[in-house]
Amino acid sequence: MNQNKNKIRIVIVIIFLILVGFPLKILAHQPRLVEIEKINVTEPEISKAYYGNLSGKPHIYTISTSSPIDLYVNILVPFIEGPEKNVTVKIFKGEQPMEILNPKTNDWKKFFEPFGQSMYWKGPEFKVRADAGNYKIHVQSTEKSMRYVLATGEIEAFDGTESLRAILLIPELKKNFFEESPFSFILSPLGWGYILLLQILVILIGFVISKILNISRVKFQMKYFQFSVKNIMICGVFFWATILFFAIQTSWHPLLIMMSGLSLFIALISRRNLS
């Protein structure tokens, strides 16, 4: 009995490490939704993507560092905006101008980001070894409404909290920022890995509990119960597909995905009870 429990624990740990570790290693920017006009960039060398919407006033990003850093800045716009949009990025050290990124139509390049499964127009980049000091990045446009993405930093760093934040934010960005369905996020390693992880964990936990309670050994011999178990199995599969589809079409909330996994577990355990 103890050996079986240890095996189950080992399987859970291995699956967790594989499914979580793989997407995190290949994910690029930490996404951030910009809701104010002045943004403080912490850890400027860590790769981040700031999703903002200009409405006449510039967005100002500030960086304060007490030691030299690799300063990296890249401007992008969602594909729906088109390459003819006007957006300018001005980079300052203190009040002294360092660089101006003012891309023209031919400067924008098509760019597909595989882990959010979204298309961009990618503009010019700026990279320099910057001394300690205070820096400002102004993002502005003559357009009345202009969506943009400001990428800063090149060091990829993700932990569990950042991963969950990205998973919950990307569907919102796809729906409201890119004006596309969150469903396509399932094609991302981060998306399908997240679903697979939660579903397998729920099913494994369910089987562990059923093993402890000996639920899986219950046999339904009477025809009435056989019929009921078949209905439960069919309903389990139906609710699994329905809840999962609703989850990935809307918020990708972990509770919804785990509820669908629970429905699948009920269907599986019912199938075993029929045998």
Side-chain angles (χ1 to χ4, degrees):
M1 180 66 71
N2 289 333
Q3 288 182 345
N4 289 335
K5 288 183 179 179
N6 289 334
K7 288 179 180 178
I8 292 173
R9 289 171 185 162
I10 292 171
V11 169
I12 292 175
V13 170
I14 291 174
I15 292 174
F16 181 84
L17 292 175
I18 292 175
L19 296 181
V20 175
F22 172 66
L24 296 190
K25 288 180 181 178
I26 55 180
L27 187 64
H29 300 289
Q30 297 178 4
R32 296 287 188 271
L33 185 61
V34 176
E35 298 177 313
I36 55 177
E37 294 176 359
K38 293 185 178 181
I39 304 97
N40 180 38
V41 179
T42 59
E43 299 179 303
E45 291 186 312
I46 300 299
S47 181
K48 300 184 184 71
Y50 294 89
Y51 293 80
N53 193 344
L54 295 168
S55 55
K57 295 182 179 180
H59 287 176
I60 301 174
Y61 296 79
T62 59
I63 297 173
S64 296
T65 176
S66 58
S67 59
I69 60 170
D70 290 322
L71 180 62
Y72 173 82
V73 178
N74 179 217
I75 186 67
L76 307 93
V77 297
F79 196 75
I80 193 173
E81 290 285 4
E84 70 280 355
K85 293 292 186 177
N86 173 273
V87 60
T88 301
V89 178
K90 297 180 180 179
I91 305 167
F92 300 84
K93 180 179 181 181
E95 300 300 325
Q96 184 70 28
M98 290 181 66
E99 184 69 26
I100 297 178
L101 305 179
N102 187 21
K104 306 302 180 185
T105 300
N106 293 334
D107 295 328
W108 297 101
K109 307 299 180 184
K110 291 182 181 180
F111 173 69
F112 177 70
E113 200 281 299
F115 306 110
Q117 291 288 306
S118 294
M119 284 291 298
Y120 297 78
W121 291 102
K122 184 176 181 179
E125 301 171 303
F126 174 71
K127 182 177 179 179
V128 69
R129 183 65 178 173
D131 296 330
N134 298 318
Y135 297 85
K136 290 189 294 184
I137 303 170
H138 290 205
V139 183
Q140 58 194 58
S141 175
T142 57
E143 307 280 345
K144 291 183 179 180
S145 179
M146 179 68 195
R147 286 168 288 189
Y148 72 91
V149 184
L150 184 73
T152 62
E154 292 186 292
I155 299 175
E156 299 175 10
F158 266 80
D159 56 21
T161 302
E162 283 296 339
S163 302
L164 183 59
R165 175 187 290 185
I167 289 167
L168 296 179
L169 182 56
I170 288 174
E172 179 184 347
L173 290 171
K174 291 182 76 66
K175 184 166 56 176
N176 299 325
F177 190 84
F178 292 97
E179 297 184 12
E180 57 190 32
S181 171
F183 187 85
S184 62
F185 186 42
I186 198 173
L187 301 176
S188 164
L190 186 64
W192 61 254
Y194 172 65
I195 290 175
L196 196 57
L197 169 66
L198 293 182
Q199 299 265 297
I200 290 178
L201 283 179
V202 169
I203 291 172
L204 285 176
I205 291 171
F207 275 116
V208 170
I209 294 174
S210 71
K211 192 74 173 178
I212 294 172
L213 299 178
N214 288 324
I215 295 175
S216 61
R217 297 180 183 177
V218 175
K219 301 294 182 180
F220 295 87
Q221 302 295 341
M222 298 175 62
K223 291 184 178 180
Y224 173 77
F225 289 107
Q226 290 276 358
F227 179 75
S228 297
V229 171
K230 287 181 180 179
N231 285 342
I232 291 173
M233 182 178 66
I234 293 171
C235 288
V237 173
F238 173 78
F239 281 111
W240 166 70
T242 301
I243 297 173
L244 183 59
F245 180 78
F246 176 77
I248 62 180
Q249 276 281 56
T250 54
S251 64
W252 281 72
H253 198 284
L255 289 180
L256 287 174
I257 296 174
M258 292 177 76
M259 284 174 61
S260 72
L262 179 60
S263 298
L264 181 59
F265 166 74
I266 292 173
L268 292 173
I269 204 72
S270 299
R271 178 68 180 87
R272 289 185 63 180
N273 287 334
L274 281 174
S275 59

